Amino acid sequence: MRGIRFVTAIQAAACFGVSLAAIGAAGAGANALALQTLAAVIALGLALVVARFWRKARWRYWLLIAACALALVWTLMTGSVLEGARRWLALGPVQLHTAFLVLPLAVWAVARGFEDRRVAPLAAGLSFALLYQHDAASSLAWALAIGAATLVQRPRQLLPWAVVAVAAVFAYAAWTEPDTLPAVPYVEGLLAASFASSPVVGVLTAILMFSLPAPFLLVAASRPERRVEALALAALWAGWIFANLFGNYPAPVLGYGAAPILAWGLSVGLMLGEPASQSDPAP
């Protein structure tokens, strides 16, 4: 794990530098660069805190998923609206994309909580909330993540497989809806804007974006006891990456936006954390 942490730190530093270069070349102003820097600093602290303390608590996995679903519902009720989509919560002048912040926690809880019968219905409810946020990218990422966890875990019960089917149907429904949000070159269209401004920056941006699932794949290969959650998180980030390629959705981590950066820090902390003294969740 020490080697994986070192590689991940190098990857994070490279992502930060290339991100500033890419969004600056795509037209982002000084305020956007400052916010990107602040988000990276906070994400680093979040990753360190989560890695140090998260696994030492005896989590109720169904409560974590319920809290994540409630955060999405709260966003639907009170969040900022843009062209019919309601995906963001305002934190002062900053708009935070709720799904990016809650899905790593929800995916981790689903991957760890297969034995709890309360997990599957809550996961289905979360799929429903994502559909009504008009967020096809997160719907796809969520479906891929819980699908990967289920395929690796291979539960004998039919309910987890049914939840995966529900998530897949909702993801398909989300992608068939017309997307009316305009693309911002340094948020959604980052790869094209980067290649247009500088082929070198474009190549580096593409390489680093596609490498985002790498730490989770390394953990899956080296730590069998974390294989399910690691592959689920890798699938989550793969979904966000591919959504950016085929729709007007944020370029994760490399594009402008605080929430994806915080989400990657959270995901890394969840995956590279220290083992708990008691691995079983509280009843």
Side-chain angles (χ1 to χ4, degrees):
M1 291 293 283
R2 186 173 299 176
I4 296 174
R5 292 189 184 103
F6 177 76
V7 171
T8 304
I10 298 298
Q11 180 189 22
C15 285
F16 173 64
V18 172
S19 173
L20 292 183
I23 66 174
N31 289 340
L33 296 175
L35 179 61
Q36 198 81 342
T37 302
L38 178 60
V41 172
I42 296 174
L44 173 61
L46 181 63
L48 293 175
V49 170
V50 171
R52 181 70 177 84
F53 298 108
W54 185 263
R55 289 178 181 270
K56 295 186 177 182
R58 299 182 65 206
W59 294 104
R60 294 178 173 90
Y61 301 126
W62 70 273
L63 276 179
L64 279 177
I65 300 171
C68 292
L70 285 175
L72 295 176
V73 172
W74 180 255
T75 303
L76 286 170
M77 295 171 60
T78 65
S80 304
V81 182
L82 183 60
E83 299 290 341
R86 196 185 292 266
R87 308 170 192 162
W88 306 271
L89 286 175
L91 184 63
V94 180
Q95 303 286 335
L96 291 177
H97 192 291
T98 311
F100 269 106
L101 298 177
V102 303
L103 287 189
L105 292 175
V107 166
W108 183 84
V110 167
R112 301 274 298 179
F114 267 95
E115 301 300 323
D116 193 332
R117 294 183 179 180
R118 295 166 289 189
V119 164
L122 289 168
L126 194 149
S127 302
F128 189 71
L130 286 172
L131 173 65
Y132 273 85
Q133 281 195 335
H134 300 282
D135 189 353
S138 295
S139 291
L140 172 64
W142 172 248
L144 289 177
I146 63 174
T150 306
L151 284 172
V152 175
Q153 193 78 1
R154 295 186 181 275
R156 295 183 178 181
Q157 302 87 353
L158 290 178
L159 187 57
W161 298 99
V163 172
V164 173
V166 168
V169 170
F170 285 171
Y172 174 79
W175 276 95
T176 58
E177 292 182 355
D179 185 8
T180 57
L181 287 175
V184 179
Y186 51 86
V187 179
E188 289 88 7
L190 185 68
L191 283 182
S194 298
F195 276 104
S197 63
S198 169
V200 174
V201 174
V203 169
L204 290 175
T205 302
I207 290 173
L208 288 171
M209 187 181 300
F210 282 106
S211 76
L212 290 176
F216 314 111
L217 296 175
L218 290 174
V219 171
S222 61
R223 297 294 293 270
E225 75 278 10
R226 298 188 185 184
R227 185 165 177 255
V228 178
E229 58 200 270
L231 291 177
L233 284 169
L236 178 74
W237 283 96
W240 276 325
I241 293 166
F242 286 120
N244 169 251
L245 299 179
F246 299 106
N248 291 334
Y249 296 98
V253 179
L254 277 297
Y256 171 69
I261 297 175
L262 297 176
W264 198 67
L266 174 60
S267 300
V268 168
L270 289 170
M271 198 74 283
L272 300 181
E274 297 180 7
S277 56
Q278 289 178 304
S279 58
D280 294 331

